[in-house]
Each structure stands twice: as C-alpha cells, then as structure tokens.
Amino acid sequence: MIKLLLFAQFRDQIGKQEMQFPIEGKTVKELKEILKESYSFDELDSVMVAINEEFVTDQEIIREGDIIALIPPVSGG
Amino acid sequence: MIKLLLFAQFRDQIGKQEMQFPIEGKTVKELKEILKESYSFDELDSVMVAINEEFVTDQEIIREGDIIALIPPVSGG
Amino acid sequence: MKRYSRQTLFSPIGVDGQERLRRKHVLIVGLGALGSSIAETLTRAGVGKLTIIDRDYVEESNLQRQLLYSENDAMERMPKAEAAKRRLNEVNQDVEIHSIVGDADVPLLERLAPNIDLIMDGTDNFDTRFMMNDISHKFHIPWIFGSCVGSFGSTFTIIPGKTPCLQCLLKKLPMRGQTCDTVGIIAPAVQMVTAYQTAEALKILSENQWALRNTYVTFDLWQNQTLSIKADSIKNADCYTCGHYPTYPYLQYEATTKTAVLCGRNTVQIRPATSTNCSIAVLADQWKKAGYKVSANPFLVSVLKDEHRMVLFKDGRALIHGTNDITIAKRVYHSLIG
Amino acid sequence: MKRYSRQTLFSPIGVDGQERLRRKHVLIVGLGALGSSIAETLTRAGVGKLTIIDRDYVEESNLQRQLLYSENDAMERMPKAEAAKRRLNEVNQDVEIHSIVGDADVPLLERLAPNIDLIMDGTDNFDTRFMMNDISHKFHIPWIFGSCVGSFGSTFTIIPGKTPCLQCLLKKLPMRGQTCDTVGIIAPAVQMVTAYQTAEALKILSENQWALRNTYVTFDLWQNQTLSIKADSIKNADCYTCGHYPTYPYLQYEATTKTAVLCGRNTVQIRPATSTNCSIAVLADQWKKAGYKVSANPFLVSVLKDEHRMVLFKDGRALIHGTNDITIAKRVYHSLIG
C-alpha cells in the first residue's frame, strides 16, 4: 500500500487530500497511466512527482509504504 | 536515542539545529533539568515542548525514537 | 464586486463568502510589523469594518518591515493608527477604518469586544496578549496569535470553547528579552506569520471554520525549519481562562502591569503583572550583544536606549528615566524585554 | 544606518551584510501580486538598485492582493511599473528604482542581464519563466521561481551550476488554464510565496548562500498542507539549459511566443513557443466554472472576457479579437491560459 498526496486541482477533482493505493512494484509512469484511466486525471505529463519528499522521474519504482505527492505546476502570480 | 530539535535562541546557543540524546524512559521535566545543567539552557520554564509534532506536558515520558522539539515563545511583532 | 472578483472566484469563498466578509468587524491590536501587514491584507480583502489600535508613532527604523508607512510618516512622527488609516483609505474606501491612538488596556478592550467578530494579534508583548486571550474567552471571540523575532515566528488560532488557549500553551508570562530591538527581525518572517494569520482570518470571516488549521505553527526561515504541532491534548480543563470555571485573571486589576509617573524625577515606574524572577545576567548579555550600553550588579541592570535609561530590578520592576510619558516608557520597556 | 537597525541586529546579516545588500542590483520581472510584494520587501530592506518590469496597468481587480497600488492608480490606469516606482520612492528614497513599462522579452532581458545580481520571478506565465531560466544560466545569475493560484503556491531557488533548473523540474511548458482569472487567488497565498522568495533573496544578497533552502516548497494554505521536496536527483546533465552543452532554447527565436496583429481585423494572433496539444474540453470547463461565456467545438473554443473574445485552437494558437494591441492580447491570453 502507498499513500498518495493530492494538491490543487487533483485534490479538487477527487475531493480529498490523500488516497491509499496498492501499487508497489510499479513505476511512476504506470501510476500515472492508472490515474489517467481510473480517475480521468488530465495533463499528467507536466505534473511533478515526489516520493518521500524527493522528486523522482517516471522510471522510479514505487515501494511499499511510499508517500507519493502529485504536484501540478501553476502559473499564477 | 531520541532526536532533539532546537529553535531560535536554543539553536544559537548550541550552534546546531538537532542533537541526539540517550534519554528514553525519562520525563520531559527530567530532560529539561539535564539541559539546564549540561548546556546551561535558561528559561526552560516557559519553553513549549512537542513530541512527534504534538505538545506535551512536563510529565510526559520520553520513548525511544521520539522527536522532541523545544519551542521558545517569542514576543516580537 | 469586480474589485473582489479574484477572491469570489476562489470557490471556498465565492460571492456568498465575500458578502459574509463585508458584514464582519475585526479588531487589530497593535500596528507594528504584524498589525500593519494584517490591516493591509484584510482591507484589500474587503472586510466590512476594522478597528485598529496602537499607542506608538512611526519611526525610521520601522520602515524596514512595517507595511503601510512611508518616509513622510516617519518624518512627521505620525501615530501609527492614523498613518495606517490614511493609507488604508487610499487602498480601499469600502472598508470602514476606526483608528484608536492609545493603549489596548482592559477597559478599552471590554468596551470594544461586544461588537467584534475576530481579534488579530499585532502586538509585541505578552502582557497585551494575555489580556486579549481573556477578552476572547469572556466574549466568545476567536483570536489569532502571532509573533516573530529574527527569522523565527509562530502562530496559533484560538477558538473559545474549542482549542486550547494561550494560557494552556504558555502557563506563565515568558520574559526573555528576545525582541526585535535586541536580536533584530527580517521582513519575510513577519510576512510568513501574517500569511498564516490572514489565511485563518479569511476562513473564519467567510465562515469556513471547517478549514481551520488546528495546529501551532512555528518556523525559522533562515534555518529552513517548519513545524506544525497538534495542541489539543494540552487544553487544560482547570485553565483560568478557557476552563470550566474561568476567572479571566488578566482582566483583574491585580494582574495588569502597573505604571506610575514619579513626579519631579522625569521617570516612569513599570511593575509587571506577575513578579517574575528575571534573569538579569541573560538580559544584560543580550542587550550588550545588541550594542546597547549596559551596566549591572546582582540586584539590577541599567541599559541606555536612545535618550532613555531603563533600570530593571530582579523582581521585574523597571524605572524608565528621561520621560514622564507612560506610553513612551512602555514602548522602551517592551522593546527591550518583550 | 538607523533605518536598517532591526536588520543589522539580525546577526547573519549584520552591518556587513547590509552593506552587501546596498551594493546589489535585483531584477524583478512582473509586478502583479508576487512582484509588487517582492518589490516592497526588497525596497524596505535597502537593496541598492531594483529594475522592475511590467507591461500591464493597474486595474480595480488587482487591488485585492497587489501591494503598492491604490484606488487612484486603478482609476488612472497607471502602468504598474510606474505606480510601483512612485510608491517605492515614498517608502525608501535610498533605493534606486529603474522602471520599465514593457514586455520582458529576450532582447530586453539580454541587455539587462550583465548588470544584475539576482532575478526575482513576479510573472504569471511559464513563457516568461522559461526565458528567465535560460537568461539566468547564460549569465550565471541566481533566480527565484514563485507561483500561486487559489490558496496554493510553490517556490524554488535556482542557482546556476548547482541546483536543477526549471527545465529539469518541468520538462515542458505546462498549459493548464488554472490562473488567478479562472480559479481565483487569495492574498495570503501570495504573501507566503513572497515570504519564502524574499527570505532566500536576502540570503543571496547578503552573501549567506550556506543558508539557502535547497528544496522545492509547495503549500496549500486553505487545506493546511506544506511539502518541502528535495530536488537534487532530478538535475539533468543533458538539460539544454543547465546541462553540459547548453543551447538556451528559450532564447532562440523559434522558441519564443509569436504575436501578429491581423490588419484590419482588430485582432491579434498568438502562437505559443511549442505547439502543445491543449485539452480544449478542460479549458472550456474551467472557464465556464469561472463564469465566462464559452462555446466550443472539437477544433476550437471561444471565450468572452470583458470586451475581448479569444478563440483558442487545438494546436495552442489563439486569436484575440477586439484589440490591435499586442500587450493587451498577451494579457488576455495569459490570464486565461497561464
């Protein structure tokens, strides 16, 4: 099981700030695909992904107990 | 072993923001006494103590692996 | 309402929340760095009415971190409450600004409280904060504590009947001598405290209490530390302010700081509420480091600040020489002791 | 130096650090919410010289969160760079303010860069940020990214030769349609971003680089979330901006957003740097939620904002009807798309 932290529009879309997910062993890329299919998350290409408070690439493999944050870049200012 | 996080003047006094301490089993009150004697920390009466991101009283017993923060109230504004 | 369109577009506020903001009356106690920033944010946000209190005037050394004030205000030694009101009126005429140049003492706070929806902490001393804490609970008004010094700051939102109060957190009046006049302050630390304070204020005023933070936040911007601490478990059922049988100790005459002008001596005496055992050595050391002229013996310490000399006794009593003005004396006292 | 006494008392800055601040020249790109707050803080702090750039003028809907500006500025439609300069001069005459009313394009940034010690991000779009990122690395100038929308914000300090750059973080230009004009913004979120940005700026300008944060911070003030994320491992050795063989792609003509006035049609065409596949449905949905009049078909979406109609094609190209002015057209475009 891993914990997914949602920020900004992802949080709004799901309506909560965290979710549990049985996705250990898969890559970040695969996680994104699942999120796209199951929750119709958009624009996952430009989202930043952090595991345990460290940015990772799409190739990173997810491990049991990881805390994964999806951080959308926003442009406002 | 526990980890002690130091803020503001405590940090300045010791010169680093964390210390390791073999003090599990003792109370917060006893920790304060040790700090007063060994590091001549002052005014520990009005300092706030949090263990694992939760405020505790002087009677709280410290456990292995606890992260303890000493938070001095400051008055400025 | 085009003016607030970016705020009404934010869905937790919306048009209804904006209308709720417009009907609210906020009291800001103190208009130094925290208070002036809070006042500017709430005025721009369109809160209906602000009552702002400060006993001080604008000085050149305020300009480094205190929004609202200009060089001209410092040159004219404008009272902060008046200078703030003038600028706030330029920024948003919709907001009714009621300014009070004076001391936030118990009679004044008790008179204002019945009409207030929220109290914001812009003070620089715990004397006033403990009074505000009692007023908040006696009149069931939320208040938002904030403080900072150096690059370090803290804030906590206090909701009567729900969260612990300042007494539960601190037990007793701290007296440390770490003030903006002794260890300095950088503006970003102020801004961070007020960002937290005003976000919580907008939640309360737009009636989104569900979103309140519920933790004590403390940070050091230079050291890159932040902590968010749960406080529920230290709520004290026997607390004299928020417990089952409150006595509101800081509203009692005995508990307020006493001042007396010493006739013919050009001196004001200040006697703090509770007789603390202050560590004269620690204070003397801090003042020396800050560059003030200090002399001490085991019974008292004497420090020179601009044209005033303060003598502080071990029991916390202080004499401020060089003035007959209680306001000036309190300013010197709190700037050195907190 | 009495004016800065509270800042020189802060020991990591001190009198020497203050003198270092005085010798520095900071470029602030964009004077909206982030930029105006940064400009006020750095001016009050006594930085020697600021160059401030903005192409826009003050509007009523800016006043809710943009410091420095008054109702009068909005009434007179003062250019932001001029209105900001006027207020900054009232606040601190010591600081030399060089204001530029115009577009922060490649030629302008290349011309300014050789004299700049630090670049601050006050923009509202990634087009400009990717240019700043290239300029920063080409001229070895640190820059401090910041952005916010709703109650959400992010910031990261980019040091050429040391940290990852914006390209390493984002890979490509995001295009999402979440802007202050579509989902709103609350002032405390702005203040929190600028508190982080200006704290880092003071470290760099006073030459305390050892104290830099080294993490990407992101927060949501309404949801009470904060994350501080290590970024070292995503520094890309092959990055075209900060890698071993940089080409600075966003400084090339091909990579800049192209604009063209369509003669006789009262229309400006904007063609973004990289042809993105924008999700027209998502954008249309967001604009509808924000209360704009929207119509869409599978190939394009049309949205009415005040007196302008924007038509956005699937390849990212946009037509802004109702103006011949490129500045106005860009403003409409970025306010709706980001």
Side-chain angles (χ1 to χ4, degrees):
Chain A
M1 215 48 127
I2 61 100
K3 194 199 275 181
L4 193 64
L5 301 180
L6 302 171
F7 279 81
Q9 65 266 37
F10 296 131
R11 206 207 61 86
D12 294 344
Q13 209 171 319
I14 298 293
K16 47 188 178 181
Q17 42 178 81
E18 21 180 291
M19 294 167 66
Q20 303 283 331
F21 241 102
I23 194 163
E24 46 276 11
K26 297 212 191 299
T27 64
V28 167
K29 196 183 163 74
E30 288 168 314
L31 169 66
K32 284 185 180 176
E33 278 157 14
I34 292 169
L35 289 172
K36 199 166 182 173
E37 278 165 32
S38 310
Y39 298 92
S40 54
F41 278 169
D42 254 303
E43 314 248 357
L44 284 166
D45 290 351
S46 60
V47 79
M48 294 180 281
V49 180
I51 298 188
N52 306 328
E53 309 213 324
E54 189 156 357
F55 282 126
V56 295
T57 63
D58 276 359
Q59 286 67 52
E60 188 78 12
I61 291 165
I62 296 166
R63 278 176 289 195
E64 169 69 26
D66 277 351
I67 297 176
I68 306 180
L70 294 188
I71 299 153
V74 295
S75 64
Chain B
M1 218 46 127
I2 60 100
K3 196 199 276 181
L4 193 63
L5 302 181
L6 302 171
F7 279 83
Q9 64 266 36
F10 296 129
R11 206 205 62 86
D12 293 344
Q13 209 171 318
I14 298 294
K16 47 187 176 181
Q17 43 179 82
E18 22 180 290
M19 296 167 66
Q20 301 283 332
F21 242 103
I23 195 164
E24 45 277 12
K26 296 214 192 298
T27 64
V28 168
K29 196 183 164 75
E30 289 168 314
L31 168 66
K32 283 185 180 177
E33 278 156 15
I34 293 169
L35 289 173
K36 198 166 185 173
E37 279 164 32
S38 312
Y39 299 91
S40 54
F41 278 169
D42 255 302
E43 313 248 358
L44 283 166
D45 289 351
S46 60
V47 78
M48 294 180 280
V49 180
I51 299 187
N52 306 328
E53 309 215 321
E54 188 156 359
F55 281 126
V56 295
T57 64
D58 276 359
Q59 285 69 53
E60 189 78 12
I61 291 165
I62 296 166
R63 278 177 287 195
E64 169 69 25
D66 276 350
I67 297 176
I68 306 181
L70 294 187
I71 299 153
V74 295
S75 65
Chain C
M1 297 273 283
K2 195 165 176 204
R3 172 170 205 139
Y4 307 112
S5 59
R6 303 311 184 266
Q7 202 161 273
T8 53
L9 271 174
F10 180 63
S11 58
I13 294 183
V15 175
D16 295 347
Q18 189 64 42
E19 177 54 25
R20 287 190 285 267
L21 283 183
R22 204 187 57 74
R23 281 193 242 110
K24 296 298 196 300
H25 183 176
V26 178
L27 172 64
I28 304 177
V29 182
L31 291 166
L34 294 176
S36 60
S37 170
I38 293 166
E40 177 151 9
T41 301
L42 296 185
T43 297
R44 290 189 183 273
V47 169
K49 187 173 175 183
L50 296 184
T51 293
I52 58 179
I53 310 179
D54 196 282
R55 62 181 167 220
D56 218 340
Y57 59 85
V58 181
E59 288 181 293
E60 202 191 354
S61 65
N62 300 151
L63 298 177
Q64 160 253 350
R65 68 197 177 287
Q66 301 189 11
L67 303 185
L68 298 175
Y69 309 129
S70 66
E71 286 185 346
N72 207 41
D73 295 325
M75 225 138 59
E76 293 178 12
R77 297 190 156 215
M78 276 285 283
K80 287 186 181 177
E82 285 308 314
K85 180 182 179 169
R86 203 192 275 178
R87 177 66 184 162
L88 295 173
N89 283 339
E90 286 172 7
V91 151
N92 193 349
Q93 290 188 54
D94 297 354
V95 179
E96 192 184 331
I97 310 288
H98 178 49
S99 65
I100 299 175
V101 180
D103 221 7
D105 56 15
V106 173
L108 177 61
L109 294 178
E110 293 231 0
R111 185 164 61 73
L112 294 171
N115 301 308
I116 298 294
D117 297 297
L118 173 65
I119 303 172
M120 299 298 288
D121 178 4
T123 68
D124 61 358
N125 66 85
F126 278 107
D127 264 20
T128 310
R129 289 192 183 100
F130 275 99
M131 263 191 279
M132 287 161 67
N133 189 46
D134 274 350
I135 290 284
S136 149
H137 287 81
K138 184 169 173 186
F139 292 88
H140 306 284
I141 308 164
W143 79 284
I144 304 180
F145 160 77
S147 78
C148 52
V149 74
S151 53
F152 177 73
S154 301
T155 177
F156 186 60
T157 304
I158 295 174
I159 310 286
K162 199 170 161 233
T163 65
C165 77
L166 193 67
Q167 286 244 48
C168 299
L169 286 173
L170 292 184
K171 309 282 182 312
K172 61 172 224 168
L173 257 170
M175 195 175 196
R176 328 204 77 270
Q178 287 233 337
T179 72
C180 302
D181 287 39
T182 60
V183 296
I185 173 85
I186 55 168
V190 176
Q191 263 177 274
M192 175 135 305
V193 173
T194 61
Y196 280 118
Q197 282 182 298
T198 54
E200 294 280 284
L202 290 180
K203 294 172 191 176
I204 291 173
L205 298 171
S206 67
E207 299 174 16
N208 279 290
Q209 274 81 350
W210 62 269
L212 287 169
R213 198 184 53 242
N214 292 323
T215 59
Y216 183 100
V217 172
T218 196
F219 65 82
D220 189 319
L221 265 174
W222 209 268
Q223 304 298 337
N224 312 307
Q225 295 170 299
T226 308
L227 272 185
S228 171
I229 304 164
K230 291 197 198 92
D232 297 345
S233 64
I234 56 162
K235 184 160 174 66
N236 176 6
D238 299 326
C239 174
Y240 290 129
T241 297
C242 74
H244 296 316
Y245 305 103
T247 59
Y248 309 120
Y250 290 90
L251 304 184
Q252 313 304 323
Y253 177 75
E254 307 76 48
T256 57
T257 294
K258 310 292 186 303
T259 53
V261 180
L262 305 190
C263 291
R265 289 187 55 192
N266 201 26
T267 293
V268 174
Q269 175 178 275
I270 294 182
R271 188 188 290 278
T274 44
S275 69
T276 47
N277 246 334
C278 44
S279 168
I280 281 181
V282 171
L283 288 171
D285 191 48
Q286 237 150 29
W287 294 334
K288 264 182 222 153
K289 267 196 224 148
Y292 298 111
K293 261 200 172 155
V294 177
S295 61
N297 66 36
F299 312 102
L300 58 84
V301 53
S302 168
V303 51
L304 193 70
K305 194 188 178 217
D306 304 327
E307 67 274 29
H308 301 107
R309 192 161 58 85
M310 182 174 86
V311 175
L312 179 73
F313 297 87
K314 236 178 112 56
D315 63 357
R317 191 168 49 89
L319 296 177
I320 288 88
H321 300 294
T323 184
N324 283 317
D325 185 329
I326 288 176
T327 300
I328 293 175
K330 278 193 172 178
R331 183 149 58 89
V332 172
Y333 178 86
H334 288 302
S335 77
L336 288 167
I337 291 183
Chain D
M1 298 273 283
K2 196 166 175 204
R3 170 170 205 139
Y4 307 111
S5 59
R6 304 310 184 268
Q7 201 161 274
T8 55
L9 271 174
F10 179 64
S11 59
I13 294 184
V15 175
D16 294 347
Q18 189 66 42
E19 177 53 25
R20 286 189 286 266
L21 282 183
R22 204 187 57 74
R23 281 195 244 111
K24 296 297 195 299
H25 182 177
V26 178
L27 171 64
I28 304 176
V29 181
L31 291 166
L34 294 175
S36 60
S37 170
I38 293 166
E40 177 151 12
T41 301
L42 296 185
T43 297
R44 290 188 182 274
V47 169
K49 187 172 175 183
L50 296 184
T51 293
I52 57 180
I53 311 178
D54 196 282
R55 63 178 167 222
D56 217 341
Y57 58 85
V58 182
E59 286 183 293
E60 203 193 354
S61 64
N62 300 150
L63 300 177
Q64 161 255 349
R65 68 198 178 287
Q66 302 188 12
L67 303 185
L68 299 175
Y69 309 130
S70 66
E71 286 185 345
N72 208 39
D73 295 325
M75 225 138 57
E76 292 178 13
R77 297 190 155 213
M78 278 284 285
K80 287 186 181 177
E82 285 307 314
K85 180 182 180 170
R86 200 192 276 177
R87 177 67 184 163
L88 296 172
N89 283 339
E90 287 172 7
V91 152
N92 194 349
Q93 290 188 54
D94 297 355
V95 179
E96 193 185 330
I97 309 288
H98 178 48
S99 64
I100 300 175
V101 180
D103 221 8
D105 57 16
V106 173
L108 177 61
L109 293 177
E110 294 230 2
R111 185 165 60 76
L112 295 170
N115 301 308
I116 298 293
D117 297 296
L118 172 66
I119 303 172
M120 299 297 288
D121 178 4
T123 66
D124 61 358
N125 66 84
F126 278 107
D127 263 20
T128 310
R129 289 192 182 101
F130 276 99
M131 263 191 281
M132 289 161 66
N133 189 47
D134 273 350
I135 289 283
S136 149
H137 287 81
K138 183 168 175 187
F139 293 88
H140 305 284
I141 309 164
W143 78 285
I144 305 180
F145 160 76
S147 76
C148 52
V149 74
S151 53
F152 178 74
S154 302
T155 176
F156 187 59
T157 304
I158 296 173
I159 310 286
K162 201 171 158 233
T163 65
C165 77
L166 193 66
Q167 285 243 47
C168 300
L169 286 173
L170 292 184
K171 310 283 182 311
K172 59 171 226 169
L173 256 169
M175 196 177 195
R176 325 205 78 273
Q178 288 233 338
T179 73
C180 302
D181 288 39
T182 59
V183 296
I185 174 84
I186 57 169
V190 176
Q191 264 177 273
M192 175 134 303
V193 173
T194 61
Y196 280 118
Q197 282 181 297
T198 55
E200 295 279 283
L202 290 180
K203 294 172 191 176
I204 292 172
L205 298 171
S206 67
E207 299 174 16
N208 280 290
Q209 274 81 349
W210 61 270
L212 288 170
R213 200 183 53 242
N214 293 324
T215 59
Y216 183 100
V217 172
T218 196
F219 65 81
D220 189 320
L221 265 173
W222 209 268
Q223 304 298 337
N224 312 305
Q225 295 169 299
T226 308
L227 271 185
S228 172
I229 304 164
K230 291 197 198 93
D232 297 345
S233 64
I234 55 164
K235 186 162 173 64
N236 176 6
D238 300 324
C239 175
Y240 290 129
T241 297
C242 73
H244 296 315
Y245 305 103
T247 58
Y248 309 121
Y250 290 90
L251 304 184
Q252 314 304 323
Y253 176 75
E254 307 75 47
T256 57
T257 294
K258 311 294 186 305
T259 52
V261 180
L262 304 190
C263 290
R265 287 188 55 191
N266 200 25
T267 294
V268 174
Q269 175 178 275
I270 294 182
R271 188 188 291 277
T274 46
S275 69
T276 47
N277 245 332
C278 45
S279 169
I280 281 181
V282 171
L283 288 170
D285 191 47
Q286 237 149 29
W287 294 333
K288 264 182 221 155
K289 268 197 221 144
Y292 298 110
K293 261 201 173 152
V294 177
S295 61
N297 65 37
F299 312 102
L300 59 84
V301 53
S302 167
V303 50
L304 193 70
K305 196 190 176 213
D306 305 327
E307 67 273 30
H308 301 106
R309 192 160 58 86
M310 182 174 87
V311 175
L312 179 74
F313 297 87
K314 236 176 113 55
D315 63 357
R317 192 169 48 90
L319 297 177
I320 289 87
H321 300 292
T323 184
N324 283 318
D325 185 330
I326 288 176
T327 300
I328 292 175
K330 278 193 174 179
R331 183 151 57 88
V332 172
Y333 178 86
H334 288 302
S335 77
L336 289 166
I337 291 183

